[in-house]
Amino acid sequence: IKQEFPKTTIKECLFHWKQALHRKMIKIGFSNKRASNFSKNLSFLTILDEEDIQKGIKYIKHKNFNKKKYINFWKYFEAID
């Protein structure tokens, strides 16, 4: 990856990142189906240019922010380094 994309910073494994997010959503009270669908939305963040990630997060939040479950999830998500 570094040879093709030298500016890339590899932080974590996508599979394990999505798995951790999915488990947290289930713990918060999302149904398995809703957690799967929502984690698909979050997956799109991984293909954005670094300078567009915050815009992507803002867009996803705007679409899904009204319920307490989502608020709790975003608190968790934003605390991840």
Side-chain angles (χ1 to χ4, degrees):
I1 292 174
K2 283 291 203 181
Q3 290 175 349
E4 291 294 320
F5 307 101
K7 294 181 182 179
T8 300
T9 302
I10 300 172
K11 291 233 175 187
E12 297 179 34
C13 168
L14 178 60
F15 172 80
H16 289 108
W17 180 71
K18 287 175 58 176
Q19 186 179 53
L21 295 178
H22 185 88
R23 286 181 178 162
K24 184 62 175 185
M25 287 182 244
I26 297 298
K27 188 175 182 179
I28 290 171
F30 285 74
S31 68
N32 192 47
K33 183 177 180 178
R34 186 167 300 265
S36 293
N37 288 337
F38 189 59
S39 66
K40 287 176 188 174
N41 287 328
L42 294 171
S43 294
F44 287 108
L45 297 173
T46 65
I47 63 169
L48 296 176
D49 289 332
E50 186 176 355
E51 62 270 6
D52 294 328
I53 292 173
Q54 288 303 317
K55 291 179 197 172
I57 291 171
K58 193 174 187 176
Y59 176 78
I60 295 170
K61 272 185 169 182
H62 179 71
K63 288 179 59 178
N64 300 292
F65 198 76
N66 296 329
K67 296 181 181 175
K68 186 176 181 178
K69 290 176 195 174
Y70 288 103
I71 293 169
N72 289 337
F73 173 78
W74 286 114
K75 286 179 185 176
Y76 166 78
F77 185 85
E78 291 171 350
I80 299 172
D81 184 43

